[in-house]
Amino acid sequence: MLNLKKFIKRFLFFIVLLTLFIFFNNSSIFTKDRSGDPILLAHRGLAQTFPLEGITGETCTAEIIYEPEHAYLENTVPSMEAAFAHGADIVELDVHPTKDGEFAVFHDWNLECRTDGEGVTREHTMAELKQLDVGYGYTADNGETYPFRGKGVGLMPTLGEVLKTFPDKQLLIHIKSNDANEGVQLANYLAKYPKLENVAVYGGDLPIERLKEEMPQMRVMSKETLKSCLIPYLAVGWTGYMPDACKNTQLHIPETYARILWGYPQKFLNRMDAVDTRVILVAGNGNWSEGFDQVSDLERLPKNYNGGIWTNRVDVISQVPGIFTE
């Protein structure tokens, strides 16, 4: 009986010590405040936005945009220039391979929603895509007016044009398929350009796996790489141990789940910085590229947060006094 009591006391003492260790090893209270502004990731450059309620993968979002507050169309060079001018640190863009070996910068799998073209984007040549009006389908009043019709002719760029226009800027390329061969094709394409340290790629598991095999130095992300990092981190990250899958990668973390990560925010960000991993916080639960798009959204950020922020309105949030402006 005495031995059992001793065991219970020692066990409880161990639990208390373990609890204290976990707390102090993961608390941001005793971590030096991080300095500097958050990193701004501009989704599709500076784009027209739309309500997210009720949308599905089949929704033509160009047909439900808000009343335009700026003149830019997503995934175009002017929209990227505007995003960087408004303070974006990184611009995200979408790519599709074309029939003639190029990569077109365009979001949709099909052309009908945004353009005056028809069919599957990747089943066209780049010359054909260059003839389209990428502003053709946008309307904010159920089709009564089309404010960008005729203004987007020839504005669909190639990936090469983007890389040449922004050689010193950070770019995040989104592969829109889960085709493994596309990862190899993109790797071969990117290898022709210098300064790839400014480029990161994310997308489907299969193309990202193949691209990483071809370009081991490339910062990449997919659902699989996220799981490979975050599941082990949730299991053992409280010790301070960093799983290999968390090194030199990119993490897009919905704010809904960020709080369960060991050491979030300050210590978690410090740990990821130490292994050259970029953390991007996505608004909400991350289902539909929710962004920190309004000034009020920034109030939800943790104090002194200076990791990455996903935004669809870099022009709005970059103007917030005391955070991004003097």
Side-chain angles (χ1 to χ4, degrees), residues 22-289:
I22 292 174
F23 174 77
F24 286 109
N25 198 43
N26 293 280
S27 175
S28 293
I29 296 174
F30 305 103
T31 302
K32 184 178 179 181
D33 284 343
R34 296 167 62 88
S35 60
D37 291 335
I39 297 167
L40 295 180
L41 189 156
H43 180 218
R44 307 187 202 171
L46 186 52
Q48 301 300 319
T49 55
F50 45 84
L52 296 173
E53 296 79 10
I55 68 168
T56 71
E58 304 303 316
T59 302
C60 175
T61 55
E63 295 178 344
I64 57 170
I65 61 169
Y66 294 120
E67 189 67 29
E69 296 180 2
H70 61 76
Y72 298 101
L73 297 169
E74 65 178 54
N75 278 312
T76 63
V77 169
S79 80
M80 297 175 201
E81 290 174 334
F84 284 125
H86 280 287
D89 298 287
I90 309 164
V91 161
E92 186 263 8
L93 58 138
D94 306 293
V95 297
H96 295 269
T98 65
K99 286 177 63 177
D100 52 349
E102 262 294 349
F103 274 92
V105 178
F106 187 68
H107 176 270
D108 296 354
W109 194 267
N110 296 304
L111 296 168
E112 285 85 351
C113 173
R114 298 180 200 282
T115 82
D116 52 346
E118 296 180 352
V120 177
T121 303
R122 60 189 55 219
E123 292 178 359
H124 291 72
T125 66
M126 196 66 225
E128 292 168 341
L129 296 174
K130 282 285 189 182
Q131 297 176 27
L132 301 179
D133 178 3
V134 296
Y136 188 85
Y138 286 84
T139 180
D141 52 16
N142 296 313
E144 291 187 24
T145 61
Y146 290 86
F148 301 108
R149 185 165 287 186
K151 299 178 181 178
V153 178
L155 288 188
M156 190 186 302
T158 67
L159 177 56
E161 289 170 341
V162 173
L163 293 169
K164 289 176 181 178
T165 304
F166 305 105
D168 299 313
K169 298 293 188 180
Q170 296 283 338
L171 300 169
L172 175 62
I173 299 170
H174 187 193
I175 298 177
K176 300 295 292 184
S177 80
N178 196 32
D179 183 350
N181 291 329
E182 194 169 324
V184 177
Q185 185 179 349
L186 182 58
N188 292 334
Y189 189 96
L190 291 174
K192 298 181 292 185
Y193 293 89
K195 295 190 177 181
L196 291 181
E197 65 271 15
N198 295 330
V199 176
V201 184
Y202 77 116
D205 293 339
L206 296 179
I208 290 301
E209 181 181 8
R210 290 301 310 276
L211 184 141
K212 188 67 173 178
E213 291 173 359
E214 298 290 325
M215 309 184 83
Q217 79 286 359
M218 180 66 68
R219 189 193 302 273
V220 301
M221 189 191 77
S222 66
K223 286 184 179 179
E224 184 58 36
T225 67
L226 278 172
K227 290 190 295 183
S228 298
C229 166
L230 293 179
I231 291 176
Y233 183 80
L234 286 170
V236 300
W238 58 271
T239 66
Y241 173 76
M242 185 61 63
D244 286 341
C246 291
K247 298 174 182 178
N248 187 35
T249 189
Q250 178 131 339
L251 302 175
H252 292 183
I253 301 175
E255 62 174 323
T256 304
Y257 309 113
R259 62 179 66 94
I260 70 173
L261 297 170
W262 296 110
Y264 182 81
Q266 308 286 42
K267 190 158 283 191
F268 175 75
L269 291 175
N270 287 343
R271 287 170 176 167
M272 293 303 163
D273 282 350
V275 294
D276 194 31
T277 284
R278 180 188 291 152
V279 176
I280 304 294
L281 194 63
V282 181
N285 60 16
N287 281 345
W288 296 108
S289 298

Side-chain angles (χ1 to χ4, degrees), residues 1-9:
M1 191 69 174
L2 287 175
N3 287 337
L4 179 59
K5 287 183 178 180
K6 272 186 183 181
F7 173 79
I8 292 174
K9 285 182 179 179

